[in-house]
C-alpha cells in the first residue's frame, strides 16, 4: 500500500488499523470471513475501471474482450461448484440479488412468503421495513417455541391458506439444516416459485457440509462473502432456461447497471478455491468447530436456540444469564471476542436491545483453529458474560483480552500482512 500511504495517509492508516484489529480479534460474527490474499488481489485491480452493462457476448459498451472471459469463467465455476445449469454473478450483494428474484417472479402486491426476521429470516424475505414487505403482501413463518425449529406443517398450512407466488427459505440466524426438499414439496403443492437463500451456508453447500438446494429450489441466491469466502458480492443460480432468463432480465436491465468487474474476478477466484479438497475440509471443520463451541457453551449453562447447531452458526438467548445481548456483545468485543447482538425467536426485548447474540465459526476456522480453541473461546465467553452479569467485568475483560491476543498471534488470519 505504499502508493496509498503517500497519496492518502489518513485512509492508509485507517486500513492498517482495521487490519490490525481483524488480526487481533477472535471474529465470531457468523456472516464474516477472511478472504485469501488471491481474492484480495483480484478485488483491487484495474477491472474496476470498466463498464460492462449486459452479459458476455451481448454488451452495451465496447472493449469487453477480457471482461467477457472473466465473467464467463466466474459463471462456469459457479455452475461447476454448485451443480447448476445457470449462474449470474452480477448482483451487487445479497439484498439486490433477492430483489431480482421478486422482480423476476412476482408483481407488486402479490403474496410472498418468507421467514420472519425475528425468527432468523432476512429483511428481504418480506419484513415490514424492507421494500419487499412494503411492496408485496408478505406472509411469515417462524419456528416452534418448544423446539426453536421451523415447523413445515405450519409452513404448509400458511402456504395453503395464502397461496403465495414466491416462497423464500433460508435466512440469517438459522442454526439448523434447511429442509429444501420439504419446502419444495410445499411450493409445488401451491404453485409457488421456491427461492433458496443460501447466503449463510453457501460455503458449506459447496464443501458438502450442508445438503444442497439444487434439484429442490427453483432459484438460489447467495452472497459470496460469508462461508463461501469470496469478496462482497452475490450470485443467482437456476437449473431451467426459463428461470435463468427471468433472473438475468431482472438483474440487468431490471435493477442494476454495470456489473462490478473487479468483484466478478474475485468471485471467480473464490469459486476456484471453493472447488478444492482443502475447501471441503474447511467446510466440514467449520461445522465441527461450531458443534464443539455449542457443546462448551451448553455445558456452561448457555441457552442455545434449538438446543445446538447443525451448521456454522449458534444463536444464544442470554435471558437465563440475566443480561441483554447488546451489553454482552459490547463487553465481549472489548475482550477481543467479536459477535453481534441478535433477536431471538419470541424475543420480549426490542430489536436494538435484544436478548441474544449470534456467533459463528467461519472466520476462526479460516485461521486454522480447531475444537480445542473453540472450547477455550466458549470458556472466555462464559467468563465475560458471567462477570458482566455480576456487575464487575473490567478485570476479567482485560485478562481475557490478553489471552485472546496470545491465541490470535498463533493463528494468523489469511489475507492479512
Ligand atoms: N447482514 C447479513 C448477516 O449478518 O447475516 C445478512 O444480510
Amino acid at each position: 500500500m505504499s502508493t496509498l500511504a503517500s497519496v492518502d495517509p489518513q485512509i492508509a492508516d485507517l486500513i492498517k488499523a482495521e487490519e490490525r484489529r481483524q488480526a487481533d480479534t477472535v471474529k465470531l460474527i457468523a456472516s464474516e470471513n477472511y478472504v485469501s490474499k488471491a481474492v484480495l488481489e483480484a478485488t483491487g485491480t484495474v477491472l474496476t475501471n470498466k463498464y460492462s452493462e449486459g452479459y458476455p457476448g451481448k454488451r452495451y459498451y465496447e472493449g469487453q474482450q477480457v471482461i467477457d472471459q472473466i465473467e464467463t469463467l466466474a459463471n462456469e465455476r459457479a455452475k461447476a461448484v454448485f451443480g447448476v445449469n445457470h449462474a449470474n454473478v452480477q448482483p451487487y450483494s445479497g439484498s439486490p440479488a433477492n430483489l431480482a428474484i421478486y422482480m423476476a417472479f412476482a408483481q407488486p402486491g402479490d403474496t410472498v412468503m418468507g421467514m420472519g426476521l425475528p425468527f432468523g429470516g432476512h429483511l428481504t424475505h418480506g419484513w415490514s421495513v424492507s421494500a419487499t414487505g412494503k411492496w408485496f403482501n408478505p406472509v411469515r413463518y417462524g419456528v416452534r417455541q418448544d423446539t426453536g425449529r421451523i415447523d413445515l406443517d405450519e409452513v404448509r398450512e400458511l402456504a395453503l391458506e395464502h397461496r403465495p407466488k414466491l416462497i423464500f427459505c433460508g435466512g440469517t440466524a438459522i442454526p439448523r439444516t434447511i429442509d429444501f426438499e420439504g419446502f419444495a414439496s410445499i411450493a409445488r403443492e401451491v404453485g409457488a416459485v421456491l427461492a433458496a437463500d443460501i447466503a449463510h451456508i453457501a460455503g458449506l453447500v459447496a464443501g458438502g457440509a450442508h445438503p444442497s438446494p439444487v434439484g429442490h429450489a427453483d432459484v438460489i441466491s447467495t452472497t459470496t462473502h460469508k462461508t463461501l469466502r469470496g469478496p462482497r458480492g452475490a450470485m443467482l443460480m437456476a437449473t431451467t432456461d426459463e428461470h435463468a432468463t427471468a433472473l438475468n432480465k431482472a438483474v440487468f436491465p431490471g435493477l442494476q447497471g454495470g456489473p462490478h468487474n473487479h468483484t466478478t474476478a474475485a468471485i471467480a477466484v473464490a469459486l476456484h478455491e471453493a472447488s478444492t479438497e482443502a475447501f471441503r475440509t474447511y467446510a466440514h471443520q467449520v461445522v465441527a468447530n461450531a458443534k464443539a463451541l455449542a457443546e462448551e457453551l451448553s455445558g456452561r449453562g448457555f441457552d442455545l436456540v434449538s438446543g445446538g447447531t447443525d451448521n456454522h452458526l449458534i444463536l444464544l438467548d442470554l435471558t437465563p444469564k440475566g443480561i441483554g445481548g447488546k451489553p454482552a456483545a459490547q463487553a465481549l468485543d472489548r475482550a477481543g471476542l467479536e459477535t453481534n447482538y441478535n433477536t431471538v425467536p419470541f424475543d420480549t426485548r426490542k430489536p436494538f436491545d435484544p436478548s441474544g447474540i449470534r456467533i459463528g465459526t467461519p472466520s476462526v476456522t479460516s485461521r486454522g483453529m480447531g475444537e480445542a480453541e473453540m472450547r477455550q473461546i466458549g470458556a472466555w465467553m462464559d467468563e465475560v458474560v458471567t462477570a458482566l452479569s455480576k456487575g464487575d467485568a473490567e478485570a476479567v475483560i482485560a485478562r481475557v483480552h490478553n489471552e485472546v491476543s496470545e491465541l490470535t498471534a498463533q493463528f494468523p488470519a489469511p489475507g492479512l500482512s
Side-chain angles (χ1 to χ4, degrees):
M1 293 208 309
S2 55
T3 310
L4 179 60
S6 72
V7 172
D8 191 339
Q10 239 181 323
I11 285 292
D13 285 349
L14 287 169
I15 292 172
K16 276 188 219 139
E18 172 62 10
E19 190 168 351
R20 275 196 301 278
R21 192 197 66 77
Q22 290 191 18
D24 294 345
T25 304
V26 166
K27 183 154 69 159
L28 295 169
I29 292 181
S31 49
E32 294 185 4
N33 213 328
Y34 297 99
V35 299
S36 68
K37 199 89 182 165
V39 168
L40 274 182
E41 282 179 8
T43 309
T45 59
V46 296
L47 301 177
T48 195
N49 296 340
K50 188 75 196 109
Y51 250 117
S52 312
E53 284 180 14
Y55 289 102
K58 195 177 172 205
R59 306 278 194 186
Y60 292 81
Y61 294 74
E62 293 310 312
Q64 309 297 341
Q65 296 84 345
V66 177
I67 299 298
D68 273 5
Q69 293 182 60
I70 290 172
E71 189 171 330
T72 302
L73 209 45
N75 286 336
E76 292 305 318
R77 288 178 182 177
K79 284 155 61 177
V81 165
F82 289 97
V84 290
N85 297 331
H86 299 278
N88 183 321
V89 295
Q90 293 195 6
Y92 298 141
S93 202
S95 296
N98 284 348
L99 281 181
I101 294 176
Y102 286 87
M103 180 138 194
F105 303 109
Q107 295 294 323
D110 277 350
T111 298
V112 295
M113 198 163 127
M115 194 175 200
L117 185 69
F119 293 100
H122 188 252
L123 282 164
T124 56
H125 297 178
W127 194 237
S128 50
V129 294
S130 152
T132 61
K134 290 181 191 293
W135 296 344
F136 298 89
N137 172 37
V139 177
R140 296 167 193 126
Y141 58 88
V143 294
R144 284 177 63 108
Q145 194 151 15
D146 55 343
T147 61
R149 294 175 188 243
I150 293 168
D151 179 349
L152 279 183
D153 290 335
E154 182 215 20
V155 176
R156 179 170 176 266
E157 273 169 33
L158 282 171
L160 286 170
E161 183 185 345
H162 297 281
R163 300 264 157 192
K165 272 261 190 77
L166 182 58
I167 299 177
F168 269 89
C169 60
T172 62
I174 305 174
R176 294 298 181 176
T177 300
I178 298 164
D179 182 354
F180 297 119
E181 196 176 353
F183 272 101
S185 132
I186 294 167
R188 270 198 304 274
E189 193 175 352
V190 300
V193 170
L194 178 65
D197 180 344
I198 62 166
H200 263 262
I201 53 168
L204 305 186
V205 172
H210 187 290
S212 169
V214 177
H216 305 300
D218 298 296
V219 293
I220 300 165
S221 74
T222 184
T223 49
T224 47
H225 47 269
K226 297 186 175 89
T227 47
L228 194 56
R229 222 161 52 177
R232 299 197 82 90
M235 307 193 302
L236 287 163
M237 295 176 274
T239 40
T240 70
D241 292 351
E242 185 195 345
H243 289 142
T245 303
L247 288 173
N248 284 350
K249 278 188 188 155
V251 173
F252 177 84
L255 286 166
Q256 296 190 175
H260 295 174
N261 298 315
H262 54 302
T263 302
T264 302
I267 290 173
V269 176
L271 289 166
H272 173 64
E273 293 173 349
S275 68
T276 60
E277 201 48 44
F279 193 86
R280 282 188 81 78
T281 305
Y282 164 72
H284 285 90
Q285 190 60 47
V286 166
V287 176
N289 279 352
K291 282 192 190 303
L293 184 52
E295 271 169 30
E296 185 65 33
L297 290 166
S298 193
R300 289 172 175 275
F302 279 86
D303 181 4
L304 280 60
V305 171
S306 82
T309 181
D310 298 328
N311 53 31
H312 63 301
L313 182 151
I314 300 163
L315 189 58
L316 298 171
D317 182 349
L318 297 178
T319 309
K321 294 279 181 186
I323 186 130
K326 190 172 187 172
Q330 288 169 341
L332 289 165
D333 191 43
R334 282 189 286 127
L337 301 162
E338 192 184 1
T339 67
N340 68 275
Y341 55 88
N342 213 97
T343 308
V344 295
F346 308 99
D347 210 325
T348 51
R349 299 168 69 115
K350 300 221 175 322
F352 206 58
D353 183 23
S355 300
I357 55 174
R358 187 187 65 161
I359 56 177
T361 52
S363 300
V364 288
T365 309
S366 288
R367 297 182 83 135
M369 294 183 193
E371 283 99 323
E373 288 72 36
M374 297 308 111
R375 284 189 278 276
Q376 177 60 74
I377 290 167
W380 283 329
M381 289 180 66
D382 186 26
E383 287 180 62
V384 171
V385 168
T386 303
L388 194 64
S389 66
K390 290 183 181 153
D392 182 22
E394 290 319 305
V396 171
I397 288 172
R399 176 180 54 74
V400 169
H401 202 172
N402 282 338
E403 293 173 8
V404 165
S405 296
E406 282 167 25
L407 180 75
T408 51
Q410 292 169 47
F411 292 92
L416 307 190
S417 328

